[in-house]
Amino acid sequence: MATLLNLSDSNRSVLSDQSVSSRISNRSLRIAEKERRKNEADDPFVLALKYFSEVEAGTPVIGNDELENHLVQVENVAFSKGLSPEALSVMLEFAMSLRMGSSPCARVLKCLLPASVVPQEAVVRAVVWLTVGKIPISTQVLFVKWVLTVFDMIDAKDKLRAIYGFIFSFVTNENLCPFICHLLYLLTRKESVRVFRVRKLLELQAKMGRQPYLLHLLSLYKVFCPELVTLSIPSRMRSGFKNHISPWKSALIGVQKRNGLQIASSISLAFAVKDKTASRKRKHGHLELPALSAVTNKEPQAAQDSSRKLVPLVQIQSFTQLLENMHRIELPAQMGSLLGSSLALQYLDCVQDESALLRLNFWLGYALHEEFLFCSDGGANKDPEEALQFLNRLLSAQHFLQEGFPSSDAFLYKFLNVWDGSLLRPQILGLLSNIPVIPSSQIGTLLFEPLMQLFFTSSLFFKCGLIECLNHMLLKWLTWHSVYALEDDLDISLNSHTSVNITLSGFKDSVMELVHFVGRLASVGLQLEGCHALLLSFILDFYETVCDTFLKFGLPLVVMPPPGVFYPAFFATDPVNVDRLAFIMHRYKVNLTSAKSQEKVTEAFHISRQTFREFNSYQVFMVNCLWNSNMCYPETDALLSEELLEKSGVPQYRTCFDLIHHPALMSYALDFHQKCWPGRKDIDLNSIKQSKPWSWYLEYLFTQGFEGLKDFLQNNISRRVMAGDATQMHEFDSAQKKTQPLVS
């Protein structure tokens, strides 16, 4: 009992101490609140906000010193550290309600610089005021431009989308139309697309012409509801929404930097400051990707229906969480931040959210154009490290998605015309290799002309890099054909979000144009670089892809290399390149043989007879040189006169390019001769042509890794001759044996 009494006394003591502490704490809070209210009462900014919230309609403006003093106070705070959401609501309501007329309205709008976020309710009320009051049209335009500037800082968009139809009604105003179309573009969802809206936009287009801002909004409508928009949208349109001069751009960048916030970290990119001394000069340093952040800085409010609760993408930490919330993801404020997150890229790849992709393409296209094309002060040269990181991140995102972005393609078509071939070369060539199939009627202007000028005026290493880039481009085209080709039609675009429908014959024409273009580059490039082995290696890489287009990728097309590539490769002093040429010719024969048998089954299948003739000519030439020791075979298209060859002074010029005397294989013949006859002092390479040594020599060559030569010879020479029959080898020098050509 005594113990219980002691515990009771102890508890009462603790409760008493807690009560005293609570009273002291409450008193401190009251004192602090009282002090805060006293300070606020003396704060000129608070007094200014109170004035603007309580001022009566009809109060005169002219000669009103109180208005001027309060407005100056608001401007000072706005331009130094920005306005809070509550202050923004008060000032926006004052400006749009015209309580003191329209004269102070524009000045107030120009100082609406948010410190953090913009309340959606304030924006919605301001939009409603557009029709209630008699606001001048210039002020209406200024307000919509402000909304576009701070769009990504608005804390939510649901109520704005709820009045989509109300906003759409302003498209009939010619002055507002470009800006309203831009705002609608950002707010549009699939449920926003209606027949009457499409009809209205088409009527405006008939009245105003094919304006870019109307076309861009119609293109978005067509993405969501292609059955409603039958208008043909150009595949490559110039920017539809211009970077209009805005009074908030530089000030907003300064406020965000001073506050250390990331909400509008890419505003500096989307709204670059225009230098007064040069119309296209601007500071570089805005290529850093914005951080992945939620649309607002507020904690997400719990929705009544948990199934509809949006989950900010920034809160997703694993792929499992992404799958669980796939259809409840809230995209970040800045779409550029998606490029830096693998989970965000996985979301884009899985969901195929057209609106997200359009926003991302809009941001990316603007970034690339502003920072690389429209910068007259040297562009990425001023900060190459930042530009390098940006392009590497873009390339990484494209490789992750296994496709490019339409905005980067449009940028490249323009950038190639001003590129010097050295600035960020690996990154630009990497982006170039991701370009989707281009119609044959446009590929020359968009790609071939600028690339040809760069190729012939650049170094050997650029030539090698460009050939490798075009090889990767061709590989991606062929791979996507093999995956997506259909019987009658196919959609072969590398970018599935802006696909270009192209027929099989159209795709074949584009591939053929690309292969012929590389053939022309390779022929002239080998002459310019003296048949350099490195360049020849990259060229043969390309033709290793070309020779298997039918069997490996299912494309009924075979294109032979031009003589300017075939003969330099055959006469090369590098044994690796000679072996690779033999492998390529072997694969050509396998593909052509299969194609020829397919022609007999399918009437629509056809390989050009000229292709068979070119192959036969190359094959006969190689066999006669390597096997028959007769370089001057009469039917070859590289025939030199006997008189000219005799004047060269080369002994036994007919046998100079057989398997023994070929410059690329001579060292192997000498090594074999020494191993076969170690005691012989004089070297007689012709002794290798005897029956037994010849068979051993072939086995020796094949063990040295010449798999291409092995496949070519076994495919073109009979087994009896390959085995080294004595009678056949006795007549080796008579050059009577011929390969059987693949007649068409």
Side-chain angles (χ1 to χ4, degrees):
M1 188 66 180
T3 305
L4 291 175
L5 289 174
N6 289 336
L7 287 174
S8 177
D9 293 341
S10 176
N11 290 337
R12 282 196 294 272
S13 175
V14 170
L15 290 173
S16 176
D17 292 344
Q18 289 179 349
S19 176
V20 171
S21 175
S22 176
R23 288 196 297 273
I24 294 174
S25 176
N26 291 336
R27 185 184 175 201
S28 299
L29 290 174
R30 287 196 300 273
I31 294 174
E33 180 67 16
K34 194 178 202 180
E35 188 68 23
R36 185 183 66 80
R37 290 178 180 176
K38 182 180 178 182
N39 292 336
E40 285 185 353
D42 298 334
D43 188 350
F45 178 66
V46 175
L47 294 175
L49 290 180
K50 184 178 181 181
Y51 172 82
F52 286 115
S53 64
E54 297 176 354
V55 65
E56 295 182 358
T59 303
V61 176
I62 300 175
N64 191 337
D65 294 335
E66 187 179 10
L67 168 67
E68 179 65 23
N69 293 334
H70 288 317
L71 194 52
V72 168
Q73 184 62 41
V74 172
E75 286 175 334
N76 291 337
V77 174
F79 287 104
S80 61
K81 57 183 180 180
L83 299 178
S84 65
E86 296 78 12
L88 281 172
S89 300
V90 170
M91 298 308 297
L92 191 57
E93 177 75 10
F94 166 78
M96 301 303 290
S97 63
L98 300 181
R99 273 181 283 174
M100 298 183 70
S102 59
S103 54
C105 186
R107 184 176 172 184
V108 171
L109 286 175
K110 290 179 181 179
C111 71
L112 296 182
L113 302 173
S116 55
V117 297
V118 178
Q120 178 185 215
E121 291 78 4
V123 179
V124 171
R125 286 183 58 83
V127 171
V128 175
W129 276 114
L130 286 178
T131 54
V132 174
K134 297 180 180 179
I135 303 176
I137 189 63
S138 59
T139 305
Q140 293 183 36
V141 170
L142 188 65
F143 165 70
V144 180
K145 288 168 69 173
W146 175 79
V147 175
L148 291 172
T149 304
V150 301
F151 183 82
D152 285 324
M153 304 177 70
I154 299 175
D155 56 8
K157 310 293 191 306
D158 55 328
K159 295 181 180 178
L160 274 174
R161 293 193 175 98
I163 60 169
Y164 185 94
F166 184 80
I167 297 173
F168 186 88
S169 65
F170 290 99
V171 296
T172 55
N173 187 307
E174 281 193 33
N175 295 306
L176 281 175
C177 188
F179 311 100
I180 291 295
C181 285
H182 192 174
L183 182 58
L184 291 172
Y185 187 93
L186 298 174
L187 292 172
T188 298
R189 292 294 182 267
K190 187 172 183 178
E191 56 270 18
S192 308
V193 183
R194 294 290 184 267
V195 176
F196 70 90
R197 288 173 185 155
V198 174
R199 189 180 298 120
K200 175 58 71 175
L201 292 177
L202 293 176
E203 290 175 2
L204 288 172
Q205 183 175 255
K207 176 183 176 182
M208 304 167 61
R210 292 171 68 87
Q211 298 296 334
Y213 46 85
L214 291 174
L215 285 174
H216 272 262
L217 186 55
L218 281 169
S219 69
L220 180 59
Y221 280 14
K222 190 167 186 176
V223 167
F224 288 124
C225 299
E227 71 281 0
L228 297 183
V229 184
T230 57
L231 179 71
S232 177
I233 304 294
S235 58
R236 274 176 285 278
M237 293 186 293
R238 63 189 178 90
S239 178
F241 307 117
K242 297 180 181 178
N243 179 26
H244 299 281
I245 299 173
S246 167
W248 306 277
K249 296 176 184 177
S250 58
L252 191 53
I253 294 170
V255 168
Q256 293 296 320
K257 286 183 177 179
R258 282 190 291 273
N259 291 347
L261 298 178
Q262 293 293 328
I263 296 177
S265 60
S266 71
I267 286 177
S268 56
L269 178 61
F271 303 104
V273 183
K274 193 174 256 190
D275 196 330
K276 294 181 181 179
T277 60
S279 62
R280 280 299 183 183
K281 283 190 177 183
R282 54 177 48 83
K283 290 184 179 181
H284 248 266
H286 309 312
L287 282 174
E288 184 176 356
L289 295 181
L292 189 65
S293 59
V295 173
T296 72
N297 280 351
K298 298 183 295 184
E299 290 297 323
Q301 298 176 357
Q304 294 180 356
D305 185 0
S306 60
S307 63
R308 299 182 60 188
K309 177 184 176 183
L310 293 179
V311 179
L313 188 58
V314 68
Q315 295 181 7
I316 303 297
Q317 302 296 327
S318 67
F319 186 68
T320 303
Q321 291 181 352
L322 181 66
L323 292 177
E324 293 173 351
N325 301 280
M326 186 64 73
H327 299 292
R328 299 190 291 118
I329 294 294
E330 180 188 52
L331 292 173
Q334 295 296 334
M335 295 304 292
S337 61
L338 298 182
L339 297 179
S341 168
S342 60
L343 285 173
L345 293 175
Q346 285 172 335
Y347 169 78
L348 286 180
D349 196 33
C350 294
V351 175
Q352 301 288 302
D353 188 337
E354 298 292 348
S355 60
L357 289 163
L358 285 168
R359 286 181 60 195
L360 178 57
N361 270 296
F362 184 83
W363 178 89
L364 181 59
Y366 202 91
L368 292 170
H369 280 73
E370 287 294 307
E371 299 296 334
F372 292 93
L373 275 177
F374 299 154
C375 227
S376 62
D377 57 357
N381 283 316
K382 299 195 71 175
D383 195 349
E385 186 62 31
E386 189 177 33
L388 178 68
Q389 292 179 4
F390 178 81
L391 292 182
N392 282 337
R393 186 63 62 86
L394 175 58
L395 272 173
S396 177
Q398 291 189 354
H399 292 160
F400 184 91
L401 295 173
Q402 292 295 299
E403 58 189 9
F405 296 102
S407 52
S408 66
D409 301 338
F411 157 74
L412 284 172
Y413 298 143
K414 299 175 184 178
F415 186 70
L416 289 177
N417 291 291
V418 297
W419 188 35
D420 60 2
S422 61
L423 176 67
L424 301 168
R425 181 172 62 202
Q427 288 72 31
I428 297 299
L429 291 179
L431 292 175
L432 186 62
S433 67
N434 289 326
I435 285 182
V437 177
I438 306 173
S440 58
S441 59
Q442 302 175 17
I443 194 171
T445 305
L446 294 175
L447 279 187
F448 294 169
E449 291 179 6
L451 290 180
M452 189 177 295
Q453 295 179 13
L454 287 168
F455 185 85
F456 294 139
T457 57
S458 298
S459 65
L460 168 69
F461 297 103
F462 177 84
K463 292 181 175 68
C464 295
L466 181 58
I467 297 294
E468 182 184 34
C469 164
L470 295 176
N471 183 30
H472 290 163
M473 181 189 297
L474 177 62
L475 268 172
K476 288 171 184 176
W477 289 10
L478 294 172
T479 300
W480 280 84
H481 162 77
S482 64
V483 174
Y484 291 113
L486 304 175
E487 291 183 4
D488 301 321
D489 211 356
L490 71 151
D491 175 4
I492 192 63
S493 172
L494 281 183
N495 195 310
S496 58
H497 312 300
T498 58
S499 57
V500 177
N501 291 324
I502 184 171
T503 62
L504 179 58
S505 60
F507 175 66
K508 286 170 59 179
D509 289 342
S510 296
V511 171
M512 190 179 299
E513 287 290 331
L514 177 59
V515 175
H516 286 325
F517 173 68
V518 174
R520 293 193 298 273
L521 291 185
S523 299
V524 180
L526 287 171
Q527 295 179 44
L528 293 175
E529 301 297 339
C531 297
H532 198 283
L534 182 62
L535 177 60
L536 181 59
S537 176
F538 282 96
I539 293 171
L540 293 178
D541 281 341
F542 180 81
Y543 281 99
E544 282 186 6
T545 302
V546 175
C547 70
D548 260 327
T549 52
F550 176 63
L551 286 180
K552 192 171 182 180
F553 301 101
L555 181 67
L557 177 69
V558 180
V559 184
M560 298 300 299
V565 171
F566 173 80
Y567 290 108
F570 178 79
F571 293 129
T573 57
D574 178 12
V576 175
N577 285 333
V578 174
D579 181 68
R580 294 179 68 191
L581 177 65
F583 172 77
I584 290 171
M585 292 304 297
H586 162 68
R587 294 304 304 170
Y588 267 121
K589 182 172 183 179
V590 174
N591 276 259
L592 284 169
T593 303
S594 178
K596 189 177 179 182
S597 62
Q598 186 73 20
E599 278 186 320
K600 298 176 181 179
V601 179
T602 308
E603 293 182 1
F605 190 93
H606 176 70
I607 298 292
S608 168
R609 296 296 177 255
Q610 178 62 27
T611 301
F612 284 98
R613 285 193 288 270
E614 290 176 0
F615 172 77
N616 287 339
S617 174
Y618 290 157
Q619 180 183 237
V620 169
F621 176 79
M622 284 188 68
V623 172
N624 276 284
C625 286
L626 292 174
W627 190 263
N628 294 339
S629 301
N630 187 7
M631 188 184 71
C632 302
Y633 183 63
E635 296 180 9
T636 181
D637 53 3
L639 181 63
L640 298 175
S641 66
E642 296 280 346
E643 183 181 353
L644 182 62
L645 289 170
E646 289 176 357
K647 286 182 179 180
S648 67
V650 177
Q652 299 181 350
Y653 55 82
R654 290 179 178 273
T655 65
C656 284
F657 291 94
D658 61 19
L659 288 171
I660 297 173
H661 299 92
H662 194 292
L665 303 173
M666 176 100 48
S667 61
Y668 293 94
L670 290 172
D671 185 58
F672 174 79
H673 186 279
Q674 185 177 4
K675 291 179 178 178
C676 195
W677 296 283
R680 184 182 294 183
K681 294 182 180 180
D682 58 321
I683 297 177
D684 180 16
L685 294 180
N686 287 327
S687 59
I688 299 177
K689 295 180 181 179
Q690 297 172 14
S691 178
K692 286 291 185 182
W694 177 252
S695 179
W696 297 338
Y697 177 63
L698 291 179
E699 292 181 9
Y700 168 75
L701 281 181
F702 299 157
T703 59
Q704 299 303 307
F706 292 107
E707 296 297 328
L709 274 173
K710 179 180 180 180
D711 292 338
F712 177 80
L713 293 175
Q714 290 179 347
N715 192 256
N716 290 282
I717 309 298
S718 67
R719 291 175 179 267
R720 187 165 62 92
V721 179
M722 286 288 293
D725 179 85
T727 306
Q728 294 286 346
M729 295 311 300
H730 178 70
E731 298 174 351
F732 188 91
D733 290 325
S734 65
Q736 297 300 315
K737 299 176 293 301
K738 302 176 184 178
T739 184
Q740 180 66 33
L742 185 65
V743 249
S744 61

